[in-house]
């Protein structure tokens, strides 16, 4: 009789322990690290530094916009080719940054004019862009919730820069350089973007470098008499550092 009771106790204990393990496994299922949606918010650096040895037109044509640090906001989605719910070290897919917004104040020109001894008249100048990016991405999950992403994307961007630089010199000489800003986002074209993201769980840090040479119309007037227009491929380079949130 005692042996029967002992057997029942052991059987019941084993059953309860087995159920506890099963419940624990159900309560804490494995969650895929290959998340698909993301939001990125951070800072944007447009172009290079101004060169005071050359005129504004030459600076702009070299991609030096006189821009301070601006802001960027992105929304995107990753389409994985491999089953993202299966445990694996790596995955590949397409990273579509559906919309990428950037804004930069062009606020370095006052110092530029001062160093060139020019009296300058400028309105509020800024640069704004709207872009979409699409390309392959490789995602690596080396351990736990740590994820590293590397991407290469083609971009299509619209740019808008209300900008005018009217300078007067001591020898009664003057010149006026400006963009054609009558049509919003008339400057547009295709470029490339390379980037990387490192995150732990849902939060991380993303870095991107975009580059595109886009035909842009500018105008130049000398002493208020002669106005010339010029269309030239100008390099638009954006370097971005962003907080990356995935879901």
């Amino acid at each position: 009789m005692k042996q029967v009771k002992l057997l029942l106790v052991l059987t019941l204990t084993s059953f309860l322990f087995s159920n506890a393990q099963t419940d624990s496994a159900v309560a804490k299922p494995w969650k895929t690290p290959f998340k698909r949606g993301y939001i990125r918010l951070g800072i944007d650096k447009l172009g290079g530094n101004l060169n005071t040895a050359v005129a504004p037109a030459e600076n702009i044509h070299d991609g030096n916009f006189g821009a301070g640090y601006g802001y960027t906001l992105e929304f995107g989605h990753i389409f994985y080719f491999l089953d993202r719910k299966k445990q694996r070290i790596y995955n590949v897919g397409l990273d579509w940054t559906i919309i990428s917004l950037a804004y930069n104040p062009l606020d370095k020109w006052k110092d530029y004019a001062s160093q060139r001894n020019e009296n300058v008249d400028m309105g509020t100048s800024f640069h704004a862009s709207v872009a979409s990016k699409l390309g392959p991405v490789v995602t690596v999950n080396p351990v736990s919730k740590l994820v590293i992403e590397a991407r290469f994307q083609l971009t299509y961007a619209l740019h808008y820069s209300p900008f005018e630089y009217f300078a007067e010199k001591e020898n009664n000489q003057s010149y006026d350089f400006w963009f054609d800003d009558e049509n919003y986002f008339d400057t547009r074209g295709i470029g490339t973007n390379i980037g990387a993201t490192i995150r732990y769980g849902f939060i991380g840090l993303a870095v991107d470098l975009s580059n595109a040479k886009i035909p842009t119309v500018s105008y130049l007037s000398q002493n208020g008499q002669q106005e010339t227009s010029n269309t030239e491929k100008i390099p638009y380079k954006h370097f971005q550092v962003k907080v990356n949130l995935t879901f």
Side-chain angles (χ1 to χ4, degrees), residues 24-37:
S24 177
V26 172
K28 297 181 179 180
W30 179 80
K31 293 184 178 180
T32 176
F34 304 112
K35 300 180 184 297
R36 294 177 293 187

Side-chain angles (χ1 to χ4, degrees), residues 225-242:
Q225 297 179 353
Q226 182 180 4
E227 179 181 308
T228 60
S229 64
N230 182 41
T231 301
E232 187 169 336
K233 284 190 174 182
I234 295 177
Y236 289 83
K237 296 182 179 180
H238 290 268
F239 177 71
Q240 301 175 340
V241 179
K242 299 158 287 191

Side-chain angles (χ1 to χ4, degrees), residues 57-89:
E58 294 176 72
N59 270 293
I60 293 292
H61 293 158
D62 289 337
N64 305 326
F65 289 89
Y69 285 102
Y71 310 96
T72 181
L73 175 64
E74 296 181 333
F75 301 90
H77 189 98
I78 297 177
F79 300 90
Y80 285 109
F81 297 152
L82 304 179
D83 186 359
R84 69 186 190 93
K85 295 184 178 181
K86 182 179 179 180
Q87 286 186 316
R88 62 178 74 247
I89 296 178

Side-chain angles (χ1 to χ4, degrees), residues 34-193:
F34 304 112
K35 300 180 184 297
R36 294 177 293 187
Y38 60 81
I39 299 173
R40 297 174 184 149
L41 174 64
I43 59 174
D44 180 284
K45 180 68 172 69
L46 172 67
N49 297 322
L50 292 172
N51 181 1
T52 57
V54 301
E58 294 176 72
N59 270 293
I60 293 292
H61 293 158
D62 289 337
N64 305 326
F65 289 89
Y69 285 102
Y71 310 96
T72 181
L73 175 64
E74 296 181 333
F75 301 90
H77 189 98
I78 297 177
F79 300 90
Y80 285 109
F81 297 152
L82 304 179
D83 186 359
R84 69 186 190 93
K85 295 184 178 181
K86 182 179 179 180
Q87 286 186 316
R88 62 178 74 247
I89 296 178
Y90 72 93
N91 209 325
V92 293
L94 279 178
D95 187 338
W96 181 22
T97 306
I98 301 170
I99 186 167
S100 176
L101 306 173
Y103 171 86
N104 300 84
L106 306 185
D107 55 5
K108 303 299 182 182
W109 291 98
K110 294 288 186 181
D111 291 339
Y112 167 87
S114 177
Q115 294 182 43
R116 286 170 58 88
N117 296 317
E118 295 178 345
N119 295 319
V120 64
D121 182 16
M122 296 185 67
T124 301
S125 299
F126 65 89
H127 173 272
S129 66
V130 179
S132 189
K133 314 173 189 179
L134 178 65
V137 61
V138 177
T139 304
V140 181
N141 174 220
V143 62
S144 185
K145 298 180 180 180
L146 180 64
V147 175
I148 302 170
E149 300 169 0
R151 55 187 168 274
F152 175 82
Q153 300 166 296
L154 291 179
T155 68
Y156 185 81
L158 311 175
H159 297 268
Y160 177 61
S161 299
F163 174 83
E164 182 176 15
Y165 187 98
F166 177 73
E168 294 180 313
K169 295 188 177 183
E170 296 177 355
N171 56 4
N172 295 323
Q173 299 292 311
S174 67
Y175 64 92
D176 193 6
F177 173 78
W178 71 98
F179 284 124
D180 178 13
D181 60 354
E182 294 181 356
N183 299 315
Y184 288 100
F185 298 110
D186 192 48
T187 302
R188 56 187 180 272
I190 297 174
T192 59
N193 180 82

